[in-house]
Every structure is written in structure tokens, then in C-alpha cells.
Amino acid sequence: MNIDPPNAAGPTADGHDAVRQPHEAGQVSSPVRLSADQAEFEDQLHGLHPVGHAPDPAAVSSTASNQAGPRTAHYPAASFVSARAQLAATLTGATLEALKSEIALADQQSARWAPAGDHSVNGNRIFDNVAASAYLKLHRFQNQDSDCKPRTEASTCAISHVRNTARDHSSIGDPLERYPMDRARQAGWHMRGKTSSPFVSLVEDPIKLTVSSDHWARAIAHNANTLYTYAVPKSAVWTPDDVLSSVGLGMNVEDQDNINADVDLMCSLGRTPTRETERLFLGGDLEKYRIASEDNPYKRAPETND
């Protein structure tokens, strides 16, 4: 990471050069003398002193005159690679494979400016840390590979929804609810069985779906052919608690057209068993986050009538 050095000579308040160039007749260049305030700012800019620690004024002129060239800030390579990995997970919605590639690329970039002998980057450890903190492993019972598309807005990628939500929040301040009200309502009703929505249902613990109080959920778990596993960025995952909180905080008692439905939704969500681990994915690109699949271990043989 390079920082352009400040010009050795610049205009003074009256517009004249503070130090003339050597080629000007009869003039010889002299070292630039910085004030104590200027030197402190430059030192803080280049990471030479902690913020708030002023350099010794007596050493300012000596430092300025003896400095052979511009100093650049030293950033630990591992910190740079880790930060890039976090951004890849949260801002781009990278898959785990893409995350590995980003870490490798950032490692190569940092090697160009890291001091010799100080390029200690453990890419595997960074990957494990980011994968554990920024991703959630979820499961879905399916019959076909393609059975992971929402019924509406199937062409929209998940990270675009995340960005749109962040943009909406930034434009109106910092609302208490996590999700926009219309999306929260869609998510809530999807969890209550109205699945014609832009969401896809998954679970954290598939075995809990086999004993769900919802007979439709049990039927899916006992009859699907395959159990798929996905590693999804947490920013794209919707939880029942967050949905319930958003609906509750976003309710407007003056909205007579929706108030009764919102109350019904909150009551319905409130009755969801705490053992349920349903999670929602908003977007049509869940397939790219798939990391494994297996024959459904919970599938029951069809009953026969003798």
C-alpha cells in the first residue's frame, strides 16, 4: 500500500514557492523546515506516532532534514488479508470457494509491500475464522437439485437484497427494526405456510424438523429424497426472532388496513415452538452456496396397505 509523499516545496500563503528549485539562477535548495504542528500531523499520517502524542519540537528540524525519503505506513499483512476476507463475506456474499480465492489474492497483494521477513499470513486460519463468524451452515430437504428457488423474485441474488436494505436504512436514519416492514411481513407469513414469496426455508438442525408440530414440515422431512447442506452468509439469513421483532417495532396503529393482519401475524409467530430452527434465505441464488448433499437419512419407507 503506497502513500504519495507530500511535495517538498509548496506555495506559501502569499502564493510564492516556499523553497526555490535548484535550477533557478543563484539559488541552492535548502531543506524544508516543518512546524511542530505540521510534523505531528505528518507523523500521525504515516503511523510514526500514536494519535495525541506530539513529537519533540527540538527534533523536528533534524528529522525533516535527515529524512532520506518518504515513509509509508506499515500494516500487518495478516490484518490486511483478514479485513479483505471479512469484506468479501459481508459485502459481496462470497461463497466459501470465492472466500478462499479472495484470501489467496489478498495474500499475494500484501506480499508486495510487507517488509522482508514479516509476511506471516496463515490463510487457513483466516478462512476458518471468517467462515465460523460470518457464515451459517443450513440444511434443506429436497427432491431435485433445483428445488431451492423461491416462487417469486427467483432471478434476484441474495446480496442485492442485503444492500438494498442497508441503503434504505441509511437513507432514513437508523430504524429500530432490522428488516423493512413489507419484507418482514412476507417472511413472517412464509414461516406460517404462505410460501409464495421470495424466500426459501432451511433449518439449522434437520432432525428437529422430523419431530416438528407442523405436519407439513414432518412430511417433507420424512419423504424428501435428499438432504442438502448450504453455507450461507449470515447477512442473507432471516430468523423468526428478527422477523417478529421487526413486525412488532414497525407496526403502525394508524395503518388500519394492516394492523389486524400484523397482530394476527405476531400472534401466529409467537406460537412457533422454540425448538424449531427454521431460517429463511432471501434470493434466488441459494444453489451456489451448496456445499454437500446426501441421501435423506430420515426418509421413511412408504406405508403399504396389506
Side-chain angles (χ1 to χ4, degrees):
M1 183 176 295
N2 296 320
I3 299 176
D4 292 337
N7 293 329
T12 60
D14 61 3
H16 295 86
D17 288 342
V19 178
R20 294 184 182 276
Q21 299 300 320
H23 66 267
E24 294 187 32
Q27 299 291 332
V28 179
S29 62
S30 59
V32 179
R33 299 179 65 85
L34 302 177
S35 70
D37 290 339
Q38 289 174 315
E40 181 183 10
F41 173 77
E42 292 294 331
D43 285 351
Q44 292 174 5
L45 178 65
H46 294 293
L48 303 180
H49 295 285
V51 175
H53 174 71
D56 183 2
V60 171
S61 60
S62 175
T63 301
S65 60
N66 294 331
Q67 189 173 358
R71 299 187 186 183
T72 57
H74 168 49
Y75 300 96
S79 297
F80 170 77
V81 177
S82 180
R84 287 290 298 267
Q86 289 285 352
L87 290 175
T90 57
L91 295 184
T92 71
T95 64
L96 291 185
E97 285 301 316
L99 178 64
K100 290 180 181 178
S101 299
E102 177 58 34
I103 290 173
L105 177 60
D107 188 10
Q108 294 174 4
Q109 292 174 333
S110 65
R112 299 174 185 173
W113 48 260
D118 190 27
H119 185 67
S120 54
V121 176
N122 188 329
N124 290 333
R125 178 180 297 175
I126 291 174
F127 173 82
D128 290 342
N129 289 340
V130 175
S133 63
Y135 291 79
L136 193 61
K137 184 178 290 187
L138 300 173
H139 307 272
R140 179 172 169 82
F141 291 97
Q142 299 175 204
N143 287 321
Q144 304 291 334
D145 288 354
S146 58
D147 290 344
C148 58
K149 290 282 188 181
R151 297 186 179 181
T152 64
E153 301 182 38
S155 62
T156 305
C157 69
I159 198 62
S160 68
H161 287 301
V162 175
R163 290 172 179 165
N164 289 339
T165 299
R167 188 180 300 113
D168 291 342
H169 280 193
S170 65
S171 66
I172 61 176
D174 186 18
L176 294 175
E177 66 272 13
R178 177 178 176 182
Y179 306 123
M181 189 62 170
D182 58 337
R183 288 296 190 194
R185 286 170 176 151
Q186 286 180 323
W189 287 117
H190 182 105
M191 291 176 179
R192 302 315 302 158
K194 297 182 179 180
T195 57
S196 182
S197 76
F199 293 93
V200 178
S201 293
L202 303 100
V203 291
E204 286 192 33
D205 188 350
I207 196 172
K208 291 184 177 180
L209 202 65
T210 66
V211 294
S212 171
S213 58
D214 184 338
H215 70 281
W216 289 110
R218 293 197 311 273
I220 292 173
H222 290 150
N223 292 285
N225 294 325
T226 310
L227 178 63
Y228 289 85
T229 302
Y230 300 85
V232 182
K234 288 184 178 179
S235 59
V237 175
W238 294 53
T239 70
D241 286 344
D242 288 332
V243 171
L244 184 62
S245 175
S246 292
V247 172
L249 291 171
M251 284 176 60
N252 183 353
V253 295
E254 301 299 328
D255 185 1
Q256 298 300 323
D257 292 334
N258 293 297
I259 185 63
N260 291 333
D262 289 342
V263 171
D264 289 343
L265 175 57
M266 290 189 65
C267 292
S268 182
L269 286 176
R271 291 193 297 269
T272 301
T274 56
R275 64 178 177 271
E276 299 287 358
T277 62
E278 182 179 12
R279 301 292 180 260
L280 297 184
F281 178 85
L282 176 59
D285 56 340
L286 178 60
E287 186 174 6
K288 73 178 185 180
Y289 295 104
R290 184 182 302 152
I291 59 173
S293 64
E294 61 178 317
D295 291 340
N296 181 6
Y298 310 106
K299 186 173 182 178
R300 292 182 176 177
E303 297 181 357
T304 58
N305 295 321
D306 294 333

